[in-house]
Each structure stands twice: as structure tokens, then as C-alpha cells.
Amino acid sequence: SNPTEYPTSSPMSNPTEYPTAEPTPSPTLAPTPVPTVQPSTPPPTMSPTAIDYTAEPASSAPIPVVYNSEPPGQQDGAAAAATDVRVLSVQEIPGVCNGPANGVGCASETAEQTGGNPNDIVNCFDSAVVGLEAPFELSAVRFWLGSSSPPPADLKLRVWEGTVATGPSANVVYTQELFGYVQGENTAFVSADLLVFDREFCVGVTSTNELDGLRLQTDFGAVDSRSYLMSPKCGLNTFTKLDEVGVAGDFCIEALVKGQ
């Protein structure tokens, strides 16, 4: 008899092909690629889509002013201008952030992805550099938000106990909610002049909304790194010096102080 013959098959013949799922990008400390900037050298030339460098000094454009409550009146502003305010800065030119505008901090690579927070971005200062001994007043803080991550929904100004060499301690001595901040330069006035009792201290900004990330611009003025970053989602569970994560320069954060 001639039995009906059926074609034979093996598990490896004509396998069903399924599309490979793309992995979800994780938050990163800086946009890819990260340029290497040597101290005291001009930034490399790159396309604007990769990185945006500040072409004009920040003073050439209006500066956003961030207040905790109502802005001070004209008389207060005139009085403030007449006081001996000094700038604690690690930037090559105080008041100007000349580094890459894209910024450094834990944030997602693309606008479609979210996340990266919490971020604590801090500079530590020694008031003796500008001839001030403690106690002194902290009047305002200038900071430059990076252009590679949208401004987060929440942002706080914080002051820590700490030193230039060791970074912020666990003791936060002042916190202030900020509003009205934008990418680029911002000046946050302390609600009431804060008296600082230690010659060395640390100041910076914090964002905690888990749907957002935070990046600040950097500059390459300081010889030794005085910037610290804590970003658990990018693997930094404690405050870490910026140069220890392979980033040249320091955060563009300045403290405006005045003597008693």
C-alpha cells in the first residue's frame, strides 16, 4: 500500500520571527556624546544639535529673577545695590558661565523619556577667598540650568554644612522653594538674608520630582573640583566630586554674600 506521505518538519525549520524590543533608555549624567574640555581652552566646535555653547555673556540678555514670594520693592533693590556684596564663584569669569550649555546631572537622554531625579547639585565655597570671615550673610544664589533637560517641575535652593575638600554634610541648614526658573542663568534671592556661621559652606539646587531630571551648566575656571553631585538613579548614592565621574570643570553656581 502507498501511505500518504506528509512533509516532515523540525523545530528549527521556518521559525517564527518576533521583533526585538528596544531597551528603555536609562537616565544619564550628561547627554551623549560628552565633550572633553581642557582647562583654559576654548570649547570644541560641534553642531548645535549636539551641544549649545554660550555665544554672548549672560549680562547681554535679561536675567530671570527667581523669588520665593513677592519681589522686593525699588527701595530694597537700591539698598541692596549699595551694599558690599561679593561673589563666591569657581567660574573662569565670575557672573559668566562659559562652559557647555547642555549641562551635567542625572536626566533622560530624550524628551520622550522622563526621569533622573532626585538630584542634588552643589558647589562648596570658602568665604576667606573674598576676604570674609564668618558670620556673613548669604543674599542670593546664581545658577545656570542646562539646555539638554527641560526645567523640572520642582526646584529648591539648599544650603548645607560642609567644606570644599569633603563636600556637603548630611546637615541641610536652609531650604527654599523656587519658582519661575528657566534654562540658562537664574538669580534666586534668599527670602531673608541668611546668616552663615561657618567660613566654608555648600550651596546648590535640588529637584525631587521623579518624572523629571536636572542638569546644570559647567565651567572650567577652578583648578581643583569644588562641585558635588548626588544622583542615585545614575549610581551616585552619596555626594561625589564632579571630576570623579569623569566630567571636567565645575557647576555654574555662585553665592552672593556680604559681611556683617
Side-chain angles (χ1 to χ4, degrees):
S1 63
N2 295 318
T4 302
E5 295 184 2
Y6 297 95
T8 60
S9 61
S10 68
M12 297 302 296
S13 64
N14 301 320
T16 303
E17 295 183 1
Y18 297 95
T20 302
E22 293 293 331
T24 302
S26 299
T28 58
L29 286 177
T32 306
V34 179
T36 300
V37 181
Q38 298 299 324
S40 301
T41 58
T45 301
M46 300 180 69
S47 66
T49 55
I51 188 169
D52 179 21
Y53 288 92
T54 304
E56 296 290 336
S59 59
S60 64
I63 299 170
V65 179
V66 184
Y67 294 102
N68 182 49
S69 56
E70 290 298 320
Q74 293 182 358
Q75 185 176 1
D76 294 331
T83 60
D84 181 22
V85 176
R86 309 180 196 187
V87 180
L88 291 171
S89 177
V90 295
Q91 291 153 220
E92 190 170 38
I93 303 172
V96 179
C97 184
N98 273 332
N102 58 358
V104 174
C106 193
S108 297
E109 285 286 284
T110 64
E112 290 75 20
Q113 301 294 327
T114 57
N117 281 338
N119 277 281
D120 289 283
I121 299 179
V122 182
N123 277 358
C124 295
F125 300 105
D126 184 345
S127 66
V129 173
V130 293
L132 279 183
E133 293 292 337
F136 55 89
E137 292 181 4
L138 175 65
S139 300
V141 176
R142 272 199 298 254
F143 60 93
W144 283 255
L145 288 181
S147 62
S148 63
S149 180
D154 75 300
L155 195 64
K156 297 179 181 68
L157 168 67
R158 279 189 176 170
V159 180
W160 287 260
E161 289 183 351
T163 67
V164 172
T166 61
S169 72
N171 189 16
V172 178
V173 298
Y174 181 78
T175 300
Q176 176 178 314
E177 193 79 32
L178 301 179
F179 306 96
Y181 42 89
V182 298
Q183 291 176 340
E185 184 178 355
N186 299 268
T187 300
F189 288 93
V190 177
S191 297
D193 284 344
L194 175 68
L195 201 58
V196 180
F197 289 93
D198 294 311
R199 198 185 80 182
E200 294 187 60
F201 69 107
C202 303
V203 63
V205 290
T206 297
S207 185
T208 57
N209 189 320
E210 293 187 355
L211 296 180
D212 298 319
L214 179 65
R215 285 185 174 142
L216 257 64
Q217 295 180 31
T218 56
D219 202 318
F220 38 81
V223 176
D224 299 318
S225 178
R226 300 177 188 185
S227 292
Y228 293 83
L229 174 65
M230 182 163 62
S231 301
K233 288 190 178 178
C234 283
L236 304 179
N237 295 312
T238 60
F239 278 111
T240 305
K241 274 193 173 184
L242 202 52
D243 58 2
E244 293 178 4
V245 296
V247 178
D250 285 278
F251 288 117
C252 288
I253 303 173
E254 297 179 325
L256 281 64
V257 297
K258 57 185 178 181
Q260 285 285 285

